């Protein structure tokens, strides 16, 4: 285990975008098909940005959707060794439940190859982490 002074603390924020239409709900997931990675949209805060502002911006950029926050739903923590510099990192990701109020998934940024709306049960099976 790395000593505490050698651990880099990282933070990000994102959203679980729930879309309901005709009594059917879907969750927005983002994928990199070349690496077969599927994730919820999230990202790193910019200087002076709150976690909620980060979540809204990142979800918009990564999904192409305009969203609004319904409520804060919790955080996850995980650790990893960054490949670029072999630095041990501890990351905390803060998630908000969101609803889509506009936009188009075809306008997502280059970070992901594909954005899908899938039923919640399928999202649980599809998500890599």
């Amino acid at each position: 285990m790395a000593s505490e002074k050698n651990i880099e603390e990282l933070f990000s924020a994102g959203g679980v975008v729930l879309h309901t239409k005709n009594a059917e709900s879907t969750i927005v997931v983002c994928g990199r098909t070349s690496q077969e990675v599927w994730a919820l949209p999230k990202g790193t805060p910019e200087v002076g940005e709150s976690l909620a502002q980060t979540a809204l911006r990142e979800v918009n950029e990564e999904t192409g959707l305009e969203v609004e926050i319904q409520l804060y739903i919790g955080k996850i923590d995980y650790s990893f060794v960054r490949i670029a510099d072999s630095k041990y990192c501890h990351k905390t990701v803060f998630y908000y439940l969101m609803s889509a109020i506009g936009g188009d998934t075809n306008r997502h940024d280059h970070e992901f190859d594909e954005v899908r709306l899938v039923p919640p049960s399928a999202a649980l099976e599809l998500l890599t982490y």
Side-chain angles (χ1 to χ4, degrees), residues 11 26 28-29 34 36 38 43 48 55 63 70-72 75 81 86 88 92 94 96 102 108-109 125 129:
F11 301 93
T26 54
V28 178
V29 296
S34 60
E36 295 186 33
W38 289 92
T63 68
Q70 300 302 313
L71 63 118
Y72 171 72
K75 65 180 180 169
V81 176
S86 299
Y88 186 84
T92 304
F94 299 86
Y96 297 84
H108 68 86
D109 69 8
E125 292 294 321
Y129 38 75

Side-chain angles (χ1 to χ4, degrees), residues 52-126:
Q53 289 169 327
T54 300
L56 288 167
R57 177 182 52 75
E58 287 288 343
V59 170
N60 174 261
E61 290 173 1
E62 293 182 357
T63 68
L65 297 172
E66 297 170 28
V67 294
E68 63 183 11
I69 292 175
Q70 300 302 313
L71 63 118
Y72 171 72
I73 55 175
K75 65 180 180 169
I76 62 168
D77 294 274
Y78 57 95
S79 299
F80 61 94
V81 176
R82 189 170 41 215
I83 294 170
D85 60 4
S86 299
K87 181 78 173 180
Y88 186 84
C89 301
H90 174 259
K91 187 165 192 172
T92 304
V93 184
F94 299 86
Y95 282 104
Y96 297 84
L97 179 63
M98 300 178 169
S99 57
I101 57 173
D104 183 340
T105 58
N106 290 318
R107 295 184 4 223
H108 68 86
D109 69 8
H110 66 278
E111 191 168 339
F112 290 99
D113 301 318
E114 186 177 349
V115 175
R116 291 184 189 169
L117 280 72
V118 298
S121 59
L124 289 173
E125 292 294 321
L126 186 62

Side-chain angles (χ1 to χ4, degrees), residues 32-38 113 128:
R32 289 184 202 102
T33 54
S34 60
Q35 299 170 324
E36 295 186 33
V37 171
W38 289 92
D113 301 318
T128 307

